[in-house]
Structure formats: structure tokens, C-alpha cells
Amino acid sequence: MNYSPCLPVMVVALVFFLTDMVDCIGPSSGNQTRLSLLTYLLDTERYDSRVPPEYEKNVPTKITIRVHLLSFDSVSETRMDYSVELFLTQEWRDERLHFANQTDSKWLEVDSKMMNVVWVPDVYFRNEKSGSFHDVTVPNKFMHLYPGGRVVYSVRLSLTLNCRMKLAKYPLDTQVCPMLIQSYTYTTENVVFFWHPTKPMVFDDEMTPQTELPQFSIVANKTDTCETTKDSNEEPTFACIIAKFTLQRDIRYYIIQIYVPSILIVALSWVSFWLDLEAIPARVSLGVLTVLTLNTHGSTIQAALPKVSYIKAIDVWVVSCLIFVFAALLEFAYVNVLARRGDKELGMVQVLATSQLQRDPFQANGCDPPKMLVRKRENGSDEECQALNQNVVIRDVNGEMNRHIMLDGNSSSRARARRVDKISRVVFPSCFAFFNLVYWLFYVYGMDNKKND
């Protein structure tokens, strides 16, 4: 029998081919134990966790990310940040971990002690201030390997993320706080990020977005993609995705703690308009008390806010209320000056009346002497005496009319002071009501809230 000289070469080639096939499909086909299959897949001699799955193919590995929010803990205007607790789940395909038809299991669960030998994306949160993993009682993370090479990796995180807030409408504002997820090492040539197509952002069943936060409600959330660089250069670009939470501040707390007390303090300052002109200690105490109380109230409010360079809505409110209260105090000062001027006028008229009373024939004509006397009449009837007791005119040495005085104890200046009080009773509440109308319409409907888009 004649043998072909190529037969040995063919046999050797067949042996090498079968060896490569065994390496590709695993130790053997059929049902394998999970441990043996997992040991084979994660063998460091055949699997290199230092490089992405598609590194040699010059195509990027597609990473699908899903965020499961467990809690949205707090939002701080002073530090301009917010805290969250979440499950970060990532999915990608790694053909090196393909094990179809090797086991009846739908997936293989990888222990946390073995995860360090599997390549995982280099995900980080770009706007993170602080963060931590959960290790009680074991590291809170899992990894599942699926027959087709799909890898699912999830980890539990607690994060404090930066949120640059625009407080021009505070406390009538709506804030948009971002969550930036980015690749730190690999550029878009090797790794790209995508949100989960159906459920990119999931809230836990025990979490109620409308009532989760003490002062805010999560009214909306939006997911998007982005590409960023590490510095000012245009290249290289890194994979990036972003989630935005729209937080609407609950105004009820501020109405009870800020607006209602301020309105009551301003209204209290108006009480002085109904007090008598002679109640000087009461009016002074009331005016000073309302000014100091409102000033202290405003200082307490500002202590809880960051020192920003622009004017906030709460600043406009506090300063305006302080102006109204201070204006009420100035109104008292003005009417007090008028009242004191009237007292001087009455005193001067009393002196003139006393000097003229010695040569006035009122009593001889059957008239009671008036409280103050200026005009001299010779034949005064009862009607004339009554008129003189109501109204006199002070004349100077030239006989010109100088000042008009009411003889019932009031001067024209005191009458003007009372008239100012009566006008203030209407003007001050009307102006404050108009200010409230303009304030609420402007900050609730008129002013465009510039969000952190």
C-alpha cells in the first residue's frame, strides 16, 4: 500500500485544529459543573482582564448603564450638593466569556472574590464630592455571566454629588441637579456608554419622588448622552452619559416660617397709626420693636444660605418688609414733629390771649372768655362768642394774618398730624398689598428660572 507523503502533515494539522476547538468551546460539551466552567472561563492564561473585550478589533465596547435609585437623601443650598444611594448596573458583551451549550444554567454567578479577574468598565461620577461602597456584611455587588457572553455587573453606592444651583428665585425656585457618569481611562475609541433603552432610571418601590425630600419634590428626570474631555483640548473624548433631576422646592415650609411672620410683623407696625398722638412711648416701642424683630428674622434666614453675589427673591422680600416697617417708624417721627409744633403754637397763643384778656371787654358783653384770644371785638353776641371760641386768627404787628388756630385745644399742625395718621392707615396697607401682588406675579410667573441645563 502506498502512503501519501503529505499524510503526516495532515494528521499534525488536524491535532492542532482539534486542540484549538477544545480551547474555544471549553473543556467538553454538555452539562459541566458551574465551578469547572467558571474556573475555565476565568483562567488567567486564556483571559486577560487588563484590556476591554474588543480591544484588538479596534471597535469600542458598548456599555449599557441603568441606575436604580434607592433614596434621594438631602439637598443642601449651602454646600450646593445632594446625596443619593443607588444600584449602578452595567451590561456589556465579552466574547471571551462565551459558554453556550456548556451548562443548563441560565447564568453563572461570580463571587465578589473572583470579580477582580474580570474586566469591568472604568466608570466614575464626574461631579462626585464624596462616595462610598457598601461592605456590610459583604461587598454589595454582583456579577452574572450569560451563555452568549453578556456580562451584568451591579454595585451599591452612596454618593454626594455637586449641583450648581441658581438661587435668584429662592425659595420659589426649581433646581436641575445632574449626575455625570464618565469613563476615566478609555476614550470613545475603546468604550462608549449608553443608557438602558427601556428603564434607564428606576426609582425604588419604597421611594416616592413627590415626598422623598423634606423641601423638594422630584418632578422629572431626564437621561442623555454626552462626550467630554479631561482638559481644554478638543481630543481625546471620553464616553459620558448624564441624568438630570428636576427638583421643585415646596413653598409651604417657607410660607409658614418666613412669609407669614414677616407679614404679621409689618402689619403690627401699622398699629401705631391708630394710637393717639400723645402715646409717644407706646409708638416708639412698637416701631423699634418691629424693626429689630424683622432685622433679626432676616439675619436668621440669611444664615442658612450661601453668600452669593446676586439678589435672591428672599432678599427682596426681607428688605422690602424692613423698608415698610422703617417707613412706619419714620411716619411716627413726622407726626410727632407736627404735634410738638402744634403744642408750641398753642402755648404761644395762650400767652397772647392772657396778655390781651386784661383789656378785652368780653365779660362785659356777656361772653365767656375764650381759651385763647386774638381778635378783639366790642359788641360780641352769643353767636359771635361761640365762633370766637372755635376759631381765631393770629395777626402779626402789621395786622397780616399769620396762623390759623383752633380754639378747642388743637392747632393746625396737630390737625395735620392726625390727618397724616388717617392717610397712613390706608396708604401703607395698600402699598404693601400692591408689593405682594407684584412680588408673587414676578417670581412665580414672570421671572424665567434659569436652570442648570
Side-chain angles (χ1 to χ4, degrees), residues 220-439:
N221 64 87
K222 178 184 178 182
T223 56
D224 202 355
T225 59
C226 56
E227 291 185 0
T228 60
T229 58
K230 291 292 191 304
D231 50 31
S232 58
N233 298 327
E234 295 184 359
E235 294 184 356
T237 58
F238 295 83
C240 173
I241 56 177
I242 185 173
K244 297 179 181 179
F245 302 97
T246 303
L247 308 177
Q248 185 176 14
R249 195 182 302 274
D250 191 350
I251 191 61
R252 291 174 294 182
Y253 168 82
Y254 297 92
I255 289 178
I256 296 173
Q257 297 294 328
I258 296 177
Y259 288 102
V260 170
S262 301
I263 293 173
L264 293 179
I265 293 173
V266 174
L268 183 62
S269 67
W270 302 336
V271 175
S272 65
F273 304 150
W274 275 266
L275 296 180
D276 190 76
L277 293 176
E278 306 300 330
I280 296 177
R283 298 187 70 162
V284 170
S285 301
L286 187 61
V288 174
L289 179 64
T290 52
V291 170
L292 294 179
T293 303
L294 193 57
N295 186 51
T296 304
H297 186 63
S299 300
T300 304
I301 297 170
Q302 296 298 327
L305 296 176
K307 306 301 185 290
V308 295
S309 59
Y310 49 86
I311 299 176
K312 303 181 290 294
I314 194 64
D315 298 332
V316 175
W317 175 266
V318 172
V319 171
S320 299
C321 290
L322 188 60
I323 290 175
F324 274 99
V325 172
F326 189 71
L329 185 59
L330 292 180
E331 189 272 348
F332 159 70
Y334 177 69
V335 298
N336 185 54
V337 169
L338 292 179
R340 292 172 60 188
R341 180 185 299 173
D343 292 340
K344 291 181 180 180
E345 293 173 354
L346 293 175
M348 181 177 61
V349 172
Q350 186 67 43
V351 172
L352 293 175
T354 303
S355 62
Q356 294 181 12
L357 190 60
Q358 299 175 359
R359 56 181 183 273
D360 193 272
F362 266 94
Q363 293 184 353
N365 295 331
C367 292
D368 293 330
K371 298 177 181 178
M372 303 165 196
L373 182 60
V374 175
R375 183 175 299 172
K376 186 177 180 181
R377 293 184 181 273
E378 295 181 354
N379 298 317
S381 63
D382 293 340
E383 291 79 5
E384 291 174 340
C385 291
Q386 183 178 1
L388 286 174
N389 280 323
Q390 295 294 328
N391 206 352
V392 299
V393 176
I394 300 177
R395 298 182 181 275
D396 56 19
V397 294
N398 297 322
E400 299 295 332
M401 186 174 64
N402 186 25
R403 195 177 299 270
H404 192 76
I405 304 295
M406 300 296 295
L407 289 179
D408 58 356
N410 291 329
S411 68
S412 61
S413 296
R414 294 182 68 87
R416 189 188 310 168
R418 287 191 171 87
R419 187 164 58 251
V420 171
D421 271 345
K422 292 180 180 179
I423 295 174
S424 298
R425 296 171 190 174
V426 177
V427 172
F428 273 74
S430 300
C431 291
F432 190 67
F434 178 75
F435 162 72
N436 272 268
L437 179 64
V438 175
Y439 178 87

Side-chain angles (χ1 to χ4, degrees), residues 33-74:
T33 62
R34 296 181 181 181
L35 179 60
S36 61
L37 182 58
L38 197 59
T39 302
Y40 168 75
L41 292 174
L42 302 182
D43 186 3
T44 56
E45 294 184 358
R46 63 170 299 276
Y47 183 84
D48 191 352
S49 61
R50 298 174 300 175
V51 295
E54 310 294 340
Y55 191 76
E56 297 296 338
K57 296 181 181 180
N58 199 27
V59 294
T61 300
K62 299 179 180 180
I63 312 298
T64 302
I65 294 179
R66 181 173 67 251
V67 173
H68 185 116
L69 278 176
L70 298 175
S71 66
F72 208 111
D73 297 326
S74 63

Side-chain angles (χ1 to χ4, degrees), residues 80-306:
M80 289 199 176
D81 58 28
Y82 67 101
S83 301
V84 292
E85 183 181 350
L86 54 86
F87 289 139
L88 179 65
T89 303
Q90 307 168 63
E91 297 182 18
W92 67 93
R93 186 172 298 278
D94 193 341
E95 294 295 339
R96 298 172 296 179
L97 300 178
H98 185 279
F99 61 94
N101 302 322
Q102 298 297 311
T103 180
D104 293 335
S105 300
K106 295 182 179 180
W107 62 76
L108 296 178
E109 299 174 353
V110 182
D111 189 82
S112 60
K113 301 180 182 64
M114 302 177 65
M115 292 181 189
N116 58 345
V117 298
V118 180
W119 179 88
V120 295
D122 58 331
V123 171
Y124 82 104
F125 291 83
R126 184 170 182 174
N127 60 328
E128 174 200 355
K129 282 189 173 181
S130 62
S132 62
F133 294 94
H134 291 259
D135 297 324
V136 181
T137 57
V138 295
N140 293 179
K141 56 184 178 179
F142 74 83
M143 178 179 289
H144 291 172
L145 306 180
Y146 289 82
R150 185 166 68 99
V151 182
V152 178
Y153 173 66
S154 181
V155 60
R156 182 185 176 190
L157 303 171
S158 289
L159 303 169
T160 300
L161 302 176
N162 182 48
C163 179
R164 295 184 179 91
M165 301 181 184
K166 300 294 184 181
L167 299 175
K169 291 185 63 176
Y170 177 90
L172 306 172
D173 56 332
T174 298
Q175 302 296 336
V176 178
C177 293
M179 177 187 291
L180 286 164
I181 303 176
Q182 187 175 330
S183 172
Y184 197 89
T185 303
Y186 298 107
T187 64
T188 52
E189 295 181 358
N190 293 301
V191 170
V192 291
F193 290 165
F194 297 95
W195 285 107
H196 193 278
T198 57
K199 295 182 178 180
M201 186 71 61
V202 180
F203 292 93
D204 194 70
D205 293 338
E206 298 181 357
M207 179 179 175
T208 305
Q210 298 297 330
T211 59
E212 181 69 14
L213 297 171
Q215 298 183 20
F216 286 92
S217 298
I218 306 175
V219 296
N221 64 87
K222 178 184 178 182
T223 56
D224 202 355
T225 59
C226 56
E227 291 185 0
T228 60
T229 58
K230 291 292 191 304
D231 50 31
S232 58
N233 298 327
E234 295 184 359
E235 294 184 356
T237 58
F238 295 83
C240 173
I241 56 177
I242 185 173
K244 297 179 181 179
F245 302 97
T246 303
L247 308 177
Q248 185 176 14
R249 195 182 302 274
D250 191 350
I251 191 61
R252 291 174 294 182
Y253 168 82
Y254 297 92
I255 289 178
I256 296 173
Q257 297 294 328
I258 296 177
Y259 288 102
V260 170
S262 301
I263 293 173
L264 293 179
I265 293 173
V266 174
L268 183 62
S269 67
W270 302 336
V271 175
S272 65
F273 304 150
W274 275 266
L275 296 180
D276 190 76
L277 293 176
E278 306 300 330
I280 296 177
R283 298 187 70 162
V284 170
S285 301
L286 187 61
V288 174
L289 179 64
T290 52
V291 170
L292 294 179
T293 303
L294 193 57
N295 186 51
T296 304
H297 186 63
S299 300
T300 304
I301 297 170
Q302 296 298 327
L305 296 176

